[in-house]
Each structure stands twice: as structure tokens, then as C-alpha cells.
Amino acid sequence: MDLQMNGKTALVTGGSAGIGKAIAFALAREGVDVAICARRKEPLEAAASQIARETNRKIVPIPADLTKPADAEAFVKEAHSALGRIDILVNNAGSAPGGVLDFLTEEDWAQSLQLKFMGYVRCLKHVLPIMQRQGRGRVVNLIGNDGVKPSYWEIAPGAANAAGLNLTLALAAQYGKDNISFVAVNPGPVRT
């Protein structure tokens, strides 16, 4: 399928495995050069090598822990430098501890918000000014269906996902005038 994306560039967080790796593969197959990040260097480099080999596209692996503001900034800056521009940002990194309120610790709640929500915010903070200067851009936020349906056994991920949905809608309203579009994708359980 030709989605007319040949020659575009994209950043994909959480790109070493699972949904993120599949997204990076799909974009590369459509002719997109992709920068991917993940915390663990070896799986990240292995994924980048495999995607590049199978698609003949430029795949740039950049280790980053998006719970750290400096890592998120470095990821965006290094990716922008390597790719020349940023047409697409796919915020995908992150998972959150499941469980019910009685058993979730303060650390569980903090983890849920730090990666799944604040990791997205940190990348957006650095990508959106670039897209504004370019006069266009596309943002895809992988949220999760717990953001749109209450589930007491997944309350921490649900809270982070609901915050992500609100963020996506708010930024779409703010940046639409700059020709930057936003979409939230809410997948259900995925075997990764």
C-alpha cells in the first residue's frame, strides 16, 4: 500500500520491541527514515539493524530513558540532526503497573505518570517547535484503551492514559493553526 510517505521522517519512542518496533517497520516500509529510542542499547541497535536491513531505510537508534528530561531532549535533538527534519512523532514508549488501588504504591503511581505521560510531554516539548518552524507535522500518541474505559484493575495505567487523551486533544486545539495534526490511538491488549 502506498501511503505517499516516501521521503518523510519519523521519531518512534519505544521502538526496540512490540508495538513501537512494528510501527517503525511499517513506516520504513512506506519509505520513511526513522529514529527510534528505547532504554536498552543492545535491543535498540538490533531492532534498528533489522529494520534497516529489511527496508533499505535509514534507521537511527538513540538510547534514551524518557523518564529523564535530558534524555528526551537529547533524543529529539540527535534525531533531528540525523534526519534533517521531523515530519512525524509517534509517542509509544511506556507501560504502567496494573493493579487495584489497595495494592498500588506511590512508586507505582509515579512510574505510571513518569513514562507513559511525562515521557510524551517531554518529547512533545522539543518536537513541536521544530514542526512549527517547518510549517507542518503529525503526532500520533499511543494511549491505550484504559484511558477511555474505566477498569479498576488497571487504575494507574487508566489515569495516565486519560491524561494522555486530554493532552492530545488540548494540543490539537493549540497547534492545529500551525498545520500540526494529532491523533490518539487506543489499542486494547496486544501480544508483544
Side-chain angles (χ1 to χ4, degrees), residues 21-191:
K21 183 178 177 184
I23 290 169
F25 249 122
L27 288 167
R29 285 187 188 110
E30 290 294 326
V32 178
D33 290 332
V34 184
I36 59 174
C37 78
R39 289 172 288 179
R40 295 176 299 136
K41 183 178 180 181
E42 293 77 19
L44 179 67
E45 289 178 347
S49 177
Q50 179 188 8
I51 297 167
R53 185 176 56 253
E54 293 183 26
T55 64
N56 292 315
R57 297 309 305 179
K58 181 177 186 176
I59 309 298
V60 182
I62 302 170
D65 179 348
L66 300 181
T67 66
K68 299 175 181 175
D71 277 20
E73 181 178 8
F75 169 58
V76 173
K77 285 184 175 178
E78 288 178 39
H80 186 230
S81 177
L83 299 174
R85 66 181 193 282
I86 301 172
D87 297 310
I88 304 161
L89 168 64
V90 179
N91 272 317
N92 166 72
S95 62
V100 296
L101 183 64
D102 301 353
F103 297 102
L104 291 169
T105 65
E106 288 282 327
E107 292 77 22
D108 292 333
W109 284 97
Q111 179 186 342
S112 295
L113 294 170
Q114 273 302 312
L115 183 56
K116 188 67 177 169
F117 178 71
M118 288 305 298
Y120 287 23
V121 169
R122 291 180 183 113
C123 289
L124 286 161
K125 179 180 177 181
H126 299 289
V127 165
L128 290 173
I130 294 168
M131 289 181 171
Q132 280 182 303
R133 287 192 298 274
Q134 294 171 171
R136 70 180 307 121
R138 305 295 174 249
V139 175
V140 179
N141 288 333
L142 272 280
I143 305 290
N145 67 353
D146 288 332
V148 294
K149 64 168 185 59
S151 75
Y152 66 84
W153 61 92
E154 295 285 341
I155 195 166
N161 290 345
L165 286 172
N166 185 283
L167 175 72
T168 303
L169 292 169
L171 293 178
Q174 180 181 357
Y175 289 94
K177 66 183 179 348
D178 298 313
N179 197 26
I180 301 171
S181 66
F182 290 77
V183 64
V185 179
N186 300 317
V190 176
R191 186 176 301 165

